[in-house]
């Protein structure tokens, strides 16, 4: 089994724990665009308690990648995704986090 598939299997297990239904093809596309960061233990996760990390997600993913306008709605979307994971969940995998943001902002077309 490839390392990429192992990551997808991990995400599948985590989504099941969270009781979140997801589109496997879209998740795979989002994960692929994350690049090698998904294989690094630290880089593969989003630290929701780190304001600088959330600001990077906001600027580099939401504004640059998804081409969203810089409004307070971005912070609301990030907060909604953090709430799905729960504040105590340490497994906020970057690919899953980004996937949930893509779904929240209805930007799946970016990955088609």
């Amino acid at each position: 089994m490839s390392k990429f598939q192992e990551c997808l299997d991990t995400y599948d297990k985590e989504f099941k724990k969270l009781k979140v239904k997801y589109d496997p093809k879209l998740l795979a596309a989002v994960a692929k665009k994350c690049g090698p960061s998904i294989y690094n233990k630290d880089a593969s996760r989003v630290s929701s308690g780190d304001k600088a990390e959330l600001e990077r997600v906001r600027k580099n993913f939401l504004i640059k990648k998804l081409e969203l306008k810089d409004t307070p709605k971005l912070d609301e979307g990030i907060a909604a995704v953090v709430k799905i994971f729960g504040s105590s969940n340490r497994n906020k995998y970057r690919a899953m986090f980004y996937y949930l943001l893509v779904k929240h902002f209805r930007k799946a077309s970016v990955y088609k």
Side-chain angles (χ1 to χ4, degrees):
M1 180 183 311
S2 71
K3 285 191 78 133
F4 184 72
Q5 187 58 51
E6 287 176 21
C7 289
L8 292 178
D9 291 346
T10 298
Y11 306 149
D12 178 63
K13 289 175 191 168
E14 288 297 318
F15 271 130
K16 285 179 180 171
K17 284 183 198 174
L18 297 171
K19 295 180 173 74
V20 172
K21 292 185 182 182
Y22 71 98
D23 174 352
K25 287 182 183 179
L26 179 58
L27 176 62
V30 171
K32 192 169 284 278
K33 288 290 184 179
C34 287
S37 69
I38 66 171
Y39 306 116
N40 179 292
K41 185 176 182 189
D42 185 47
S44 69
R45 292 172 172 83
V46 173
S47 173
S48 63
D50 181 350
K51 290 189 188 296
E53 169 80 6
L54 295 181
E55 186 59 28
R56 279 191 298 277
V57 168
R58 189 173 186 275
K59 286 183 178 176
N60 296 336
F61 184 69
L62 296 177
I63 295 171
K64 288 182 182 177
K65 178 66 180 166
L66 299 185
E67 299 179 346
L68 296 169
K69 293 195 185 315
D70 189 0
T71 69
K73 291 205 181 279
L74 300 184
D75 294 324
E76 292 168 14
I78 290 171
V81 169
V82 169
K83 188 175 181 179
I84 290 170
F85 279 102
S87 60
S88 64
N89 186 340
R90 299 183 63 82
N91 290 326
K92 294 178 186 84
Y93 290 101
R94 186 168 305 279
M96 293 174 63
F97 201 91
Y98 286 3
Y99 169 87
L100 291 169
L101 287 169
V102 166
K103 294 299 281 183
H104 179 85
F105 289 106
R106 297 185 178 119
K107 296 294 277 185
S109 60
V110 171
Y111 292 93
K112 300 290 178 182

